[in-house]
Amino acid sequence: MIRTRGLVKRYGAHAALDGVDLSVPAGSVYGLAGPNGAGKTTLLGILAGLKESTEGEVTVAVTPGEVAVLPDTPKFDPWLTGREVVELALALGSPGGPGPARRDADRVDEVLSQSGLSEASDRRCGGYSRGMLQRLGIACTLVARPTLILLDEPASALDPQGRREVLDLITTLRGQATVLFSSHILGDVQEVCDAVGILHQGRLLFQGPLSDLLVGRAVPRYVVRLRTKPDADVVAAALTALPWVHSATVSDGAVVQVEVATLGQAERLLPGALAATGVPVVSLAPEAVSLERAFLELTS
Ligand SMILES: Nc1ncnc2c1ncn2[C@@H]1O[C@H](COP(=O)(O)OP(=O)(O)OP(=O)(O)O)[C@@H](O)[C@H]1O
Ligand SMILES: [Mg+2]
């Protein structure tokens, strides 16, 4: 759906984007993660046709009329009501202008409700809170049923419930549209994306299926949870003495982190070694590799 080659954007001497080869598969939900200043907004702006690149190629496989963009801080004419803003977005976003009035009204109601704004829809948006403006932006983005949706930090101003609703909304778009959204909230990216790009200082450090990023980084580490700190001390001492255990350290009170040579070895030997200590074990699990950990490893 989107492909860039050697994309560069310079502001004076500073390269906000420095040779980005982005590839967003059609129908995917793609998460663009990166710290502040990584170049996410700049990249989305270029893809949306709002900014010019300095060098490189950009190919977007749909016409500009099929693309909808949610800016990071959406702004609207303050004298319009939420409903009027969405009606305007529908009129502007529909190819060939507004459709039959009845169908339009239904569609506007539908997206206002999906965005959690039904009750506030007849109030002037000048009085909306930041989170409500973000919800209104989302309603405007979706109303004309675009094929490609670019969302810049769609959940950044939202309360936990609002964030949940936006993530659920993005999930329902899967298959109907291609969604590219930027976020520095890695949990959100991990939850809804099938593909991720990690942008750092204008460079894409990783791009591909989320599973590749996480599996490729699996660390042979186990977490053993016990009832008490003395139990944890006993287990850590016993495991440290074993030749196939690299290290066993007590953390967070009654938790032992065990680093082993290979996961397979640990799967065979660890349960027996724990049983031999005679200490009651609450749980034993391989350490989950989070996107956050992979991200920190890549960007540090
Ligand atoms: N109009 C501009 N003029 C000069 N420098 C700019 C301009 N816009 C962006 N930059 C610089 O480009 C870099 C990337 O900025 P960008 O806004 O794309 O980052 P971001 O990943 O969206 O960050 P954030 O998470 O804070 O939104 C930053 O160093 C920023 O200072
Ligand atoms: Mg930004």
Side-chain angles (χ1 to χ4, degrees), residues 29-195:
V29 177
Y30 187 110
L32 187 63
N36 294 138
K40 304 181 294 294
T41 298
T42 304
L43 180 54
L44 289 181
I46 291 173
L47 297 176
L50 303 170
K51 287 189 170 114
E52 274 187 35
S53 60
T54 313
E55 280 170 35
E57 290 168 32
V58 178
T59 319
V60 178
V62 290
T63 61
E66 293 172 273
V67 183
V69 187
L70 174 68
D72 50 356
T73 47
K75 293 188 180 67
F76 308 99
D77 292 325
W79 55 86
L80 295 177
T81 66
R83 180 184 304 280
E84 285 166 344
V85 169
V86 178
E87 282 167 357
L88 189 62
L90 178 58
L92 294 172
S94 303
R102 173 88 197 103
R103 233 189 59 216
D104 281 3
D106 288 350
R107 178 64 184 151
V108 169
D109 279 337
E110 188 179 21
V111 291
L112 282 168
S113 153
Q114 279 178 332
S115 313
L117 281 178
S118 294
E119 281 176 25
S121 61
D122 292 319
R123 278 167 49 193
R124 289 177 189 229
C125 70
Y128 278 14
S129 71
R130 193 166 157 234
M132 289 165 80
L133 289 173
Q134 204 159 35
R135 288 165 188 259
L136 185 57
I138 290 168
C140 292
T141 310
L142 300 183
V143 70
R145 302 184 197 278
T147 320
L148 173 60
I149 302 174
L150 307 174
L151 307 168
D152 195 1
E153 308 266 2
S156 64
L158 300 181
D159 54 33
Q161 191 190 342
R163 162 171 287 130
R164 177 77 270 141
E165 287 164 10
V166 167
L167 294 181
D168 289 347
L169 200 56
I170 291 177
T171 309
T172 65
L173 295 171
R174 197 186 297 279
Q176 296 169 32
T178 305
V179 182
L180 169 59
F181 81 93
S182 76
S183 181
H184 56 262
I185 304 163
L186 298 171
D188 292 358
V189 173
Q190 183 153 17
E191 198 171 323
V192 295
C193 294
D194 17 63

